[in-house]
Amino acid sequence: MILYNVTIIIDESIHERWLNWMQNVHIGQVMNTGCFASNRMLKVLDSPNEGITYCVQYVSDSIEKYNEYKHQYSAALQADFPEEFSNKFVSFRTLMEFIDAR
């Protein structure tokens, strides 16, 4: 199993609108690709960064399903962020493999 983690540091001025968009639009779009089995969103409580930090995690059954997402869907979904969020967030992505999945 593969964990695709997206860490996002969001400016406080758009935080509520961004959170609403993520929960009601974007995460659903990612899940509708069929490449992930589950997801979760976490708020980082002890971030050293300015702004508010979240981690959005998507679990894929295989590296092949993740690669399908990466090659067929990710660019379009990442480009679909509303204009009002431009230059108000920083994100980075991490890909991890479960060692002891239970």
Side-chain angles (χ1 to χ4, degrees):
M1 291 180 40
I2 301 297
L3 178 75
Y4 173 51
N5 181 82
V6 183
T7 301
I8 303 141
I9 305 165
I10 192 83
D11 188 277
E12 291 183 34
S13 69
I14 61 162
H15 168 252
E16 291 297 325
R17 291 186 310 276
W18 175 86
L19 183 60
N20 182 59
W21 177 78
M22 284 294 290
Q23 292 176 313
N24 295 301
V25 177
H26 186 71
I27 291 173
Q29 290 173 328
V30 172
M31 293 305 295
N32 284 339
T33 67
C35 297
F36 299 102
S38 65
N39 71 83
R40 75 185 117 217
M41 180 180 231
L42 303 102
K43 183 176 181 181
V44 178
L45 298 178
D46 63 350
S47 176
N49 304 301
E50 289 187 31
I52 301 171
T53 304
Y54 287 91
C55 293
V56 183
Q57 300 180 337
Y58 303 95
V59 177
S60 182
D61 293 331
S62 68
I63 192 70
E64 292 80 15
K65 289 301 258 180
Y66 165 76
N67 284 332
E68 177 185 338
Y69 171 78
K70 181 179 174 183
H71 297 296
Q72 293 184 24
Y73 303 103
S74 68
L77 288 171
Q78 289 172 23
D80 194 36
F81 272 60
E83 182 65 31
E84 70 178 299
F85 303 151
S86 293
N87 301 316
K88 299 210 181 228
F89 73 95
V90 175
S91 66
F92 62 92
R93 292 154 179 78
T94 310
L95 189 62
M96 296 171 257
E97 180 178 26
F98 286 86
I99 300 301
D100 188 17
R102 295 174 195 227

